[in-house]
């Protein structure tokens, strides 16, 4: 360990290693990424089941658009309920390979309450459905902050953008596969929306067993040794053992403009993403007259390019920088969201608009997470990610606004309210562009610390 720490010190500040879209990285990093991808795919799927079966839920409980919007908003905001506490607890429980000790409880929580949602006796009234989904999402948000931090710690700093982009391709590629599975289950069960909740979450059991066996001190040390031999920088100082969480670390982190603005930017990005996921299936079912299974299946097309976009923009952010990549993505999404008003006019338009939007719908999250983790104090990456996760899922309240607009525009079957909702979501992207431009500093790429902003490099942790 001392030899590793000495070599780590010789690399400070981090070297400017040559970057590529398919980066060279330690074998252990790739294996850890695979497990983290599968875990996040299951986490994301546990949230997306609700969106995919929403038309059937609306029918069973006879819900209006504004009520559904408030329910979805409450459930999504709950995703951030445990994030800060859970991330801080995870930092104390163990970093690197040892994050599995905190991650397993979070994964168990969202899996258990996903399954309980599918038990008819517990969800015979809408209140039961809401309670179980709120608890499930609270565990899911904590799990996501741990999953992202795990990837950041298993990969060299110079490859972080690619790693987090590849990891987050599980949302949507993992949810694309699960979306097709959910559609199949709905067809086989005559639109019984509870069946996906009962069946799909069980897939996580063999995945987590495999990850638990893999994540060990020996393999983490191997990753660190291989990273240093490649002239790259481990994410964690090898001399650092388990760290006690410093009092005031949360407030101290929020003083960093990159972390604070990152939390706001990811809030706005989530508002657009959650809003679109809430918006699309009902729009196809009630305005486009798709049947429920078709609405569930066709509403995940953007997932195809969503994963490509995450890997591409995550990798590009390692080269051109996090800030510049975020600015491009915000402009892209502003246009894409407006185009969704034409998505129900034909299958061609539905596919084309989703594929175009998909290049950036998911890509923003790993890039923003990279900005936040780049800016975090050594040893408190989990805390910074917890803050970002909390900010992100406050953005999950956007369905409440969309539900209000849909109801105001004439209800589920009237197009006008849906269109107003799209312009609201696109305005979130415009605001995110402005605050990112003015109040963040570049942390990666050739323009690191050389960009223009109203805040100083020092305040953003850039030397």
């Amino acid at each position: 360990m001392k030899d590793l720490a000495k070599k780590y010190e010789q690399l400070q500040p981090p070297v400017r290693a040559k970057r590529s879209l398919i980066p060279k990285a330690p074998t252990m990093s790739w294996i850890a990424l695979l497990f983290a991808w599968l875990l996040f795919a299951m986490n994301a799927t546990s949230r997306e089941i609700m969106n995919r079966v929403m038309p059937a839920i609306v029918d069973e409980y006879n819900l209006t658009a504004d009520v559904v919007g408030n329910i979805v908003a409450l459930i999504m905001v709950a995703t951030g309920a445990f994030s800060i506490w859970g991330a801080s607890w995870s930092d104390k429980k163990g970093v690197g390979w040892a994050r599995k000790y905190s991650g397993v409880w979070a994964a168990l929580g969202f899996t258990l309450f996903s399954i309980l949602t599918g038990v008819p006796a517990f969800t015979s009234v809408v209140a039961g459905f809401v309670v179980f989904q709120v608890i499930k999402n609270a565990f899911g948000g904590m799990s996501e902050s741990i999953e992202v931090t795990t990837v950041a710690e298993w990969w060299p700093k110079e490859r972080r953008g690619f790693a987090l982009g590849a990891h987050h391709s599980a949302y949507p590629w993992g949810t694309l596969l699960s979306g097709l599975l959910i559609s199949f289950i709905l067809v086989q069960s005559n639109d019984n929306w509870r069946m996906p909740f009962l069946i799909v979450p069980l897939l996580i059991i063999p995945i987590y067993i495999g990850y638990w066996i893999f994540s060990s001190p020996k393999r983490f040390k191997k990753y660190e040794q291989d990273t240093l031999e490649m002239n790259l920088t481990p994410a964690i100082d090898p001399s650092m053992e388990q760290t006690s969480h410093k009092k005031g670390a949360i407030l101290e982190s929020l003083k960093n403009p990159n972390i604070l603005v990152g939390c706001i930017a990811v809030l706005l990005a989530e508002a657009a993403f959650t809003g679109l996921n809430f918006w699309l299936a009902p729009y196809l079912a009630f305005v486009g007259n798709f049947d429920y299974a078709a609405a569930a299946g066709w509403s995940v097309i953007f997932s195809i390019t969503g994963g490509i976009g995450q890997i591409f923009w995550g990798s590009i952010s390692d080269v051109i920088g996090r800030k510049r990549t975020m600015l491009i993505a915000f402009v892209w999404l502003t246009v894409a969201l407006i185009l969704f008003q034409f998505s129900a006019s034909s299958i061609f338009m539905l596919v084309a608009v989703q594929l175009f939007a998909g290049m950036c719908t998911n890509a923003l999250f790993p890039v923003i997470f990279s900005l936040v983790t780049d800016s975090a104090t050594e040893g408190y990456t989990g805390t910074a990610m917890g803050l970002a996760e909390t900010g992100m899922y406050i953005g999950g309240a956007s369905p409440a606004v969309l539900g209000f607009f849909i109801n105001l525009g004439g209800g589920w079957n009237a197009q006008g309210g849906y269109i107003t909702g799209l312009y609201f979501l696109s305005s979130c992207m415009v605001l995110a562009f402005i605050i990112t431009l003015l109040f963040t500093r570049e942390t990666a790429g050739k323009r690191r610390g050389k960009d223009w902003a109203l805040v100083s490099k020092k305040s953003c942790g850039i030397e």
Side-chain angles (χ1 to χ4, degrees):
M1 186 64 74
K2 290 182 178 179
D3 291 339
L4 284 175
K6 184 176 180 180
K7 193 165 185 179
Y8 177 89
E9 290 297 326
Q10 292 172 351
L11 284 177
Q12 300 301 310
V15 297
R16 302 297 183 193
K18 184 178 180 181
R19 298 178 174 91
S20 62
L21 292 180
I22 304 177
K24 184 178 180 181
T27 300
M28 294 298 105
S29 296
W30 287 103
I31 298 174
L33 177 60
L34 173 61
F35 277 115
W37 190 96
L38 292 170
L39 291 173
F40 186 48
M42 293 308 304
N43 189 350
T45 295
S46 75
R47 300 174 209 170
E48 282 302 298
I49 295 175
M50 175 183 68
N51 291 320
R52 303 298 168 228
V53 302
M54 185 57 69
I57 293 174
V58 167
D59 270 358
E60 175 166 333
Y61 297 125
N62 193 27
L63 304 173
T64 61
D66 55 339
V67 171
V68 174
N70 288 329
I71 288 173
V72 174
L74 173 63
I75 292 170
M76 292 308 298
V77 169
T79 313
F82 292 163
S83 290
I84 296 177
W85 173 83
S88 299
W89 171 67
S90 179
D91 280 341
K92 290 186 289 186
K93 195 72 173 174
V95 300
W97 69 272
R99 286 199 187 271
K100 69 179 182 180
Y101 293 125
S102 53
V104 66
W105 293 107
L108 178 63
F110 73 72
T111 301
L112 174 62
F113 285 96
S114 291
I115 294 172
L116 290 177
T117 303
V119 178
F122 295 148
T123 55
S124 59
V125 295
V126 70
F129 169 81
V130 173
V131 168
F132 283 121
Q133 286 296 289
V134 163
I135 298 172
K136 179 265 297 176
N137 269 29
F139 278 105
M142 179 172 69
S143 182
E144 183 176 353
S145 66
I146 295 172
E147 292 157 12
V148 173
T149 305
T150 297
V151 174
E153 291 175 341
W154 273 94
W155 272 73
K157 289 182 179 180
E158 293 84 356
R159 311 305 191 200
R160 180 172 289 164
F162 166 82
L164 293 184
H167 171 249
H168 256 59
S169 68
Y171 201 163
W173 280 347
T175 54
L176 168 62
L177 297 175
S178 63
L180 297 176
L181 177 59
I182 291 166
S183 182
F184 174 77
I185 293 172
L186 287 175
V187 171
Q188 296 301 313
S189 63
N190 296 317
D191 287 335
N192 182 346
W193 61 265
R194 290 180 176 83
M195 291 305 295
F197 286 103
L198 286 171
I199 297 173
V200 177
L202 297 175
L203 296 174
I204 198 174
I205 296 173
I207 296 171
Y208 213 99
I209 291 173
Y211 170 66
W212 186 275
I213 295 171
F214 163 77
S215 190
S216 67
K218 181 178 178 180
R219 292 190 177 92
F220 197 77
K221 184 177 180 180
K222 171 66 173 170
Y223 143 72
E224 291 176 327
Q225 291 172 330
D226 291 348
T227 296
L228 293 169
E229 288 173 3
M230 291 178 179
N231 203 31
L232 297 171
T233 314
I236 303 174
D237 183 339
S239 66
M240 186 185 72
E241 299 296 337
Q242 187 167 309
T243 305
S244 296
H245 191 262
K246 183 175 68 176
K247 186 176 182 180
I250 293 174
L251 292 177
E252 194 66 29
S253 295
L254 288 173
K255 291 179 182 179
N256 184 315
N258 277 2
I259 296 177
L260 177 60
V261 174
C263 293
I264 299 172
V266 80
L267 181 157
L268 295 169
E270 181 65 24
F273 183 77
T274 300
L276 182 60
N277 274 284
F278 166 77
W279 182 95
L280 188 54
Y283 186 69
L284 295 178
F286 299 126
V287 177
N289 296 315
F290 286 60
D291 65 52
Y292 294 163
W298 282 107
S299 64
V300 297
I301 297 300
F302 67 87
S303 304
I304 298 172
T305 48
I308 296 172
Q310 285 180 309
I311 296 173
F312 176 77
W313 291 114
S315 300
I316 287 295
S317 77
D318 286 335
V319 180
I320 70 172
R322 320 297 188 204
K323 178 176 178 177
R324 187 179 297 182
T325 304
M326 288 165 62
L327 294 175
I328 294 171
F330 287 133
V331 172
W332 190 302
L333 279 178
T334 300
V335 176
L337 287 165
I338 294 173
L339 291 176
F340 263 96
Q341 63 188 294
F342 307 111
S343 59
S345 61
S346 69
I347 294 295
F348 172 79
M349 283 300 298
L350 174 61
V351 172
V353 171
Q354 286 194 74
L355 291 178
F356 173 73
M359 282 301 295
C360 281
T361 46
N362 301 77
L364 272 166
F365 299 106
V367 178
I368 297 174
F369 292 158
S370 295
L371 177 77
V372 169
T373 53
D374 287 347
S375 307
T377 302
E378 182 80 31
Y380 300 110
T381 306
T383 299
M385 268 307 307
L387 289 167
E389 290 282 336
T390 300
M392 179 167 69
Y393 287 111
I394 291 174
S398 63
V401 181
L402 294 178
F404 171 78
F405 285 140
I406 291 171
N407 226 43
L408 192 65
W412 288 117
N413 297 300
Q415 187 180 37
Y418 289 93
I419 305 306
T420 304
L422 286 181
Y423 280 92
F424 163 72
L425 297 180
S426 64
S427 69
C428 291
M429 297 299 90
V430 174
L431 176 58
F433 178 93
I434 293 172
I435 63 172
T436 300
L437 176 66
L438 297 179
F439 301 110
T440 64
R441 299 303 298 257
E442 191 57 78
T443 62
K446 296 179 180 180
R447 296 290 298 170
R448 182 177 184 272
K450 298 178 181 179
D451 60 307
W452 175 87
L454 296 179
V455 293
S456 67
K457 293 188 292 183
K458 184 177 180 181
S459 66
C460 296
I462 300 171
E463 299 298 333

